[in-house]
Amino acid sequence: MSADIPVRLSPSAILFGTLMLWIGAGWFCYRNVIADLVHQWQVNPSSSHGPIVVPIAFWLQWLRRSSRPPVSKPWRGGFGLLLTAHLLLWMGAHFYVPAVERWSVLLWLASLVGVLCGRRVLVWALPGIGFLAFMIPIPFQLESLANQWLQWASAWCSCLLLGLTSTVAVTDGYTLRMATGRVGITTDCSGLRMTIAIAAVGYILTFLRQQQTHSERYERGSRQAVAVRLGMMAVLVIPAAILANAMRITVMAWVMNQFQVESYTTWAHDLG
């Protein structure tokens, strides 16, 4: 009689099986949140960029693959992140706060990487996980406040720029009044989507600069440099977006004031 030989699974097979089980459980828990995100991408103009965020996040991590540290033992703090993510998911569903449910997705992903691959791999993966924040819609109240402030700032800057072209204009709330007519800055023209786009590009460039050599690792000094660059990017992105939007509005208002032809004004609006 031949003795039965025990079957031993390789660490890679165990890791893959655990990953599939974790993803399956996450899909079951977050199926309604994912459906809500897809719906927001379809109906909310400010979130229409959502579908391309995930591929870009994978692309960002792929470009940085040479700096990925080896997989290590599970990070115990990942279980705390997992518990926090599911607590936020329950609170958001119980008190009907969709924003809390959506943001808990990022904590869940971080816990997945930390537990299965270790703390160092989680630190390496943080840029990609952080970029996924751009796929989450801004809460309605915050979006309304941001639109109102950007509308006012764009109107004020456009008035100053028109003055540089010897065009007399005054602001009336979110409206530019000129001798030949007026230009209203609506919510769609507030520049919020432009602000998000500039922030996303700045975020990507910040981490691409860190990808230098194959042997480079994220040491403490490197992480501090990234934090400084992200802080500078956050400070500069809003003025840059306001100026870019104001220049677009200024060109349209100048064309309308100079030519007073609706087709020209429409062309300038569409071009901007």
Side-chain angles (χ1 to χ4, degrees), residues 8-20 71:
R8 295 184 178 179
L9 297 177
S10 65
S12 299
I14 296 175
L15 180 63
F16 180 77
T18 306
L19 177 64
M20 292 298 101
V71 175

Side-chain angles (χ1 to χ4, degrees), residues 14 26 52 77 107 109 255:
I14 296 175
I52 67 172
L107 287 180
L109 288 173
V255 169

Side-chain angles (χ1 to χ4, degrees), residues 77-161:
F79 294 103
L81 289 179
L82 178 63
L83 180 62
T84 304
H86 282 279
L87 178 61
L88 292 176
L89 178 64
W90 175 83
M91 292 178 60
H94 184 75
F95 296 104
Y96 192 67
V97 186
V100 175
E101 295 181 271
R102 297 165 187 165
W103 283 98
S104 69
V105 174
L106 303 185
L107 287 180
W108 183 87
L109 288 173
S111 69
L112 170 68
V113 177
V115 171
L116 295 183
C117 301
R119 179 177 174 273
R120 294 186 65 191
V121 177
L122 172 59
V123 173
W124 171 82
L126 283 179
I129 296 175
F131 188 78
L132 293 177
F134 289 101
M135 76 177 182
I136 300 177
I138 302 174
F140 176 76
Q141 294 83 354
L142 183 59
E143 182 179 353
S144 299
L145 290 175
N147 276 323
Q148 292 174 9
W149 189 83
L150 288 172
Q151 284 174 271
W152 175 84
S154 297
W156 184 78
C157 289
S158 299
C159 185
L160 291 180
L161 292 176

Side-chain angles (χ1 to χ4, degrees), residues 1-6:
M1 296 179 63
S2 59
D4 294 335
I5 300 176

